[in-house]
Every structure is written in structure tokens, then in C-alpha cells.
Amino acid sequence: MGPTIRITVNGEAREIRAAATLADLLAEIGLDPRKIAVERNLEIVPRSRYAATALAAGDELEIVHFIGGG
Amino acid sequence: MDLDFTDAELHRYSRHILLAEVGAVGQARLRAARVLVVGAGGLGSPLALYLAAAGVGTIGLVDHDALELSNLQRQVAHTTARLGRNKAESAAETIAALNPEVRVETHALRMDAAAAEALIPRYDIVCDGTDNFPTRFLLGDACHLLARPLVSAAVLRFEGQLSVFQSHLGAPHPCHRCLHPEMPPEGLVPSCSEAGVLGAVTGVMGTLQATEVLKLLLGIGTPLAGRLLLWDALDARFRTVTLRRDPACPLCGEAATIRDLSAHRAAPAPACAAA
């Protein structure tokens, strides 16, 4: 494993390789993108941008679960 | 605008009229407004009751379900004596008792594409308090295409989410598909009847939804548009995050592929009841 960066996911610190994208992170965690949204530094990342979104050191990410109850 | 109020109306709405941001003009705006509430359940109950108490002149209520015992843990517009009755009709009865000054238009039907096209243009604002993804996506698409603001709340377990979508106004406003481009495949996301919900959570979210509707009608404050409010009741934590318009969005994006409601006509009727 090459150089890593430190990010926060759901409030917990996590190391990930420096060139990782948001899509890589979701695959690593094992999250199905069809049932979540992802918030990065207080902003929702469009699903169409996951593979193009490079993570940066210090990024704070929150997984927002897709819910539909009423 | 008709600014004539009866003495009873002035008395009933006096705490509103006292607010500089509302006043008699704002109260008259509320009286002239037409709001469609889809789903007379956990969200729709407090939502419709607060809109009615506030004096929103015409409230449309859509629900095809019959009231079940398991609804009463959270759906406070209904009563035990009304088990088996249509929920839109039951909620209309509660509203009539709370505020006979408002008119309720009861639509005891399933919200499908034809109903969306017939009903949505007749209202100023649409509220989503439904319990299933097919209806949520239908409402989101229909409100964008028919140019109506959508105030959408959702709940599950101890969590709530809320946003205002007005993508019909154009950029930079996002639509519901900028958040979730597609419906989750069936079975991937549980419903309240599968995973449960704390009753009070629906009360908070439905009341926040009512607040956003009243803000929009009155033209006060900053609407929760382009933002998503997230509430974790167990953590007692509210967060508001930015939601931007996605240029690649299939509904409001530059090369949008959804131009009408035909995909919803082909879809099977949602099987999920508000149990």
C-alpha cells in the first residue's frame, strides 16, 4: 500500500490510499450506492460524481441512508 | 387579496397576526392558499393538522388506505373509533373539528400518474408524506414537470429527513433525483412496517414540513431548498447539508431523459400499505 491520507467517515477516523475516490471508499466499506447518499464536508456528492471525486486529507464524510417512510 | 376577516378569524389567528412576518396580509395569504398533502399517515397527520390550525384555506388530502390499529401509534389525525375508515376522510373529520374555517378536499384514491396530473396543478404546494418509493418518485418527477414546489419529508426508525424541492425554477435549484437518481431496488431499503419508527419522530418531521410550507406561502425566512435537513433522534442531532443541482441529473440535468410520467404509468402499483 502506497501513501495514505486520513479522513473521517461517520465521525470515525479512517486511513485510505492517497489516490482513492469516493467510489473506492464505498467499495472498500462495502456500501451499495443505490441505498445511500454521501455527504462530504457538509455537501451531498451527486452519485454521478462518485468515481470522479478524489478524496482529500481531512475530508469529513457522512453516509446518509435513503429512507422513505411516512 | 381579500383582507376582510371576521371577528372570530381575527381572534383565532391573533397569535399569527401579532407576528410582524405574518400579520393580516400573511394570514390572508394563508387563507387564499391551496396545499396538497399526499399521505394522511405519520407525517401527513401533524402536517395537515398544523396547516389547518394555521388557517391554510384549502387542504387537499390524498390517501387510499383504511385506518389500521397499528397506525394509531403515530398517526394522530385519527381516532380508535374510526378504525377501518378511509384515512383521508378520517383526517378531514379531525380538521373540520379543529378549524371549520378551512376547506378540505378529500381524495380517497391511490396517487398514480393520472391522479398526479389531475391534482397537482390544482394546488400551490405539494407535500410528500407517503410511505413508499414508487409514490415518492412519482411525486418528485410530477412536481418538477408540473412546476410545483415539493416539501418532502421521510422517516425511518429514529431518523428523519426533510427538503424543499423547487427545481422547476431552474438552476441552481436541485430536484429529488439530484439526491437519489433512482428508486432503490425493491427490498434494499426497509419500510416503517418492516423496520419500525418511533411515533414522535413522525410528529417532529411532519411539523417541520408544515413549517416549511407556511414559510413558502408567507414568503418569509430561507426555505430549506438546496439543502437537506437530517435528524438523528437517538443522538439528538440535527444537521443541514447542501444539496446542489446535478448537471447529470436524469430529471433536471442538462441532458435530462425524464420528460413525462410515462415510466410511472408502466410501473406496478405500490404494494406497501401504511401499516
Side-chain angles (χ1 to χ4, degrees), chain A residues 32 34-37 39 42-44 46-48 62 64-70, chain B residues 42-43 130-131 133 136 154-155 161 180 184-185 188-189 192 239 241-242 244 246:
Chain A
D32 188 333
R34 295 173 303 175
K35 61 174 187 179
I36 57 162
E39 170 217 324
L42 294 176
E43 192 167 316
I44 299 290
R47 198 182 295 172
S48 61
E62 293 272 343
V64 177
H65 291 280
F66 196 174
I67 61 175
Chain B
L43 293 166
T130 65
D131 61 357
F133 291 110
R136 286 182 171 275
V155 292
Q161 299 180 2
H180 292 296
L188 200 62
V189 175
C192 291
R239 288 184 308 130
V241 302
T242 301
R244 292 192 198 282
D246 177 9

